[in-house]
Amino acid sequence: MTVVITPTMIGQVVISGLLAGSLYAMVALGLGLVFGVMRVLNVAHGPLLMLGAYTTFGLFQWLGLNPYLSLLVSMPALFVVGVVLQRLLVRRVVDAPELSSLLLTFGVSIAIVNLAQLGFTSDVRSVEYLTGSFVLGPFAFSKSRVIACAFALVITAGAFWFLRQTRLGKAIRAVSQSREVAQVCGINVQRIHMITFGLASALAAAGGTLIAVMVAIQPEMGQVYTFKSFLVIVLGGAGNYPGALLGGLLLGLIEQLSSLFITTQVNEAVAYILLVLVLLVRPTGLLKGRS
């Protein structure tokens, strides 16, 4: 059966793509921060997101806490987890070849997923809090996705403000540009590394909390978000923070448009093809970043 694609359908998927892309951008910003400041490829970013989702599930299931209010718990909790991981493990590979950080964080991600399977089993869980859609003219959008987009934009804007306007944020940017010069200027680089990894983990936790209201939760759910986060920072430019926002929105748009014009089964294939093309044609990303 031939499906006629109308302008309304295109408008629907474009807006849906932007809703999804804003969430990708927020999650990828954390991965980009860690790479930009520490040159560490953090494969454990997705499993940290998964921990944020399970934190939200636990608070909702056992304490009845509003899932969106659980951001006030999941983000600080994962900030602490990130700081501990950085102090115990990640700091040991900061100056090592990037393959070392890749292997270390891959091991951490396996450990986190296995611990989650031990604690929560492989059963699929869900946070059944918000259903239904907002209707705007001919368009209808899932309430949970619209609210997730709003939170993601606010958190992303807050992260940009923090990096640009606060003394600590400027110190983080200084270390990302030149660790040696920052150290000469009196910035405690080790402390900045620790805080950066904590912030990145908190951003992953925020993603996990917002995603938990939209989709089912299971211990391996973070892997796909690790890949998408890498794709976003490659698209936007590794180490380029505004590029993460652009890359996230583009990825969301491309996924949704490929679902409309091709089929939903090729979403991940399109993402892989896009990654290869960007690496071949413009390895520094659409906005200039590190190759």
Side-chain angles (χ1 to χ4, degrees), residues 16-32 45 49 145 148-149 152-153 156 203-204 207 210-211 214-215 224-233 235 243-256 259 267-268 271:
S16 297
L18 294 176
L19 293 177
S22 62
L23 195 56
Y24 295 157
M26 183 194 69
V27 175
L29 178 61
L31 192 69
H45 198 63
L49 177 149
R145 292 186 184 277
C149 173
L153 290 177
T156 303
L203 287 171
L210 298 175
I211 290 166
M214 298 189 296
V215 301
V224 66
Y225 291 98
T226 298
F227 167 71
K228 288 183 178 181
S229 297
F230 271 113
L231 177 53
V232 165
I233 63 173
L235 266 176
L245 180 60
L246 175 64
L249 295 176
L250 277 177
L251 178 60
L253 275 176
I254 290 168
E255 278 188 348
Q256 294 297 319
S259 299
N267 269 355
E268 289 194 16

Side-chain angles (χ1 to χ4, degrees), residues 18 37 102 120 136 170 202 205 214 216 218 230 248 273:
L18 294 176
V37 174
L102 193 67
F120 299 100
L136 183 64
K170 290 175 182 176
M214 298 189 296
Q218 47 90 13
F230 271 113
I273 293 169

Side-chain angles (χ1 to χ4, degrees), residues 39-54:
R39 314 294 189 267
V40 166
L41 294 168
N42 181 20
V43 183
H45 198 63
L48 291 170
L49 177 149
M50 176 269 293
L51 289 182
Y54 270 108

Side-chain angles (χ1 to χ4, degrees), residues 51 61 95 103 105 116 128 133 135 155 162 165 195 213 272:
L51 289 182
Q61 187 74 15
D95 292 319
L103 292 174
T105 55
E128 297 176 0
S133 302
V135 177
I155 293 171
F162 171 78
Q165 301 298 327
I195 292 172
V213 186
Y272 277 105

Side-chain angles (χ1 to χ4, degrees), residues 67-116:
Y68 298 111
L69 287 179
S70 69
L71 282 169
L72 300 174
V73 178
S74 63
M75 292 183 72
L78 266 293
F79 177 89
V80 173
V81 171
V83 166
V84 171
L85 282 176
Q86 199 278 337
R87 294 308 296 165
L88 292 180
L89 299 171
V90 177
R91 70 184 178 92
R92 303 176 191 279
V93 295
V94 168
D95 292 319
E98 287 171 354
L99 181 60
S100 299
S101 66
L102 193 67
L103 292 174
L104 174 75
T105 55
F106 180 71
V108 171
S109 70
I110 295 294
I112 292 174
V113 170
N114 285 344
L115 286 173

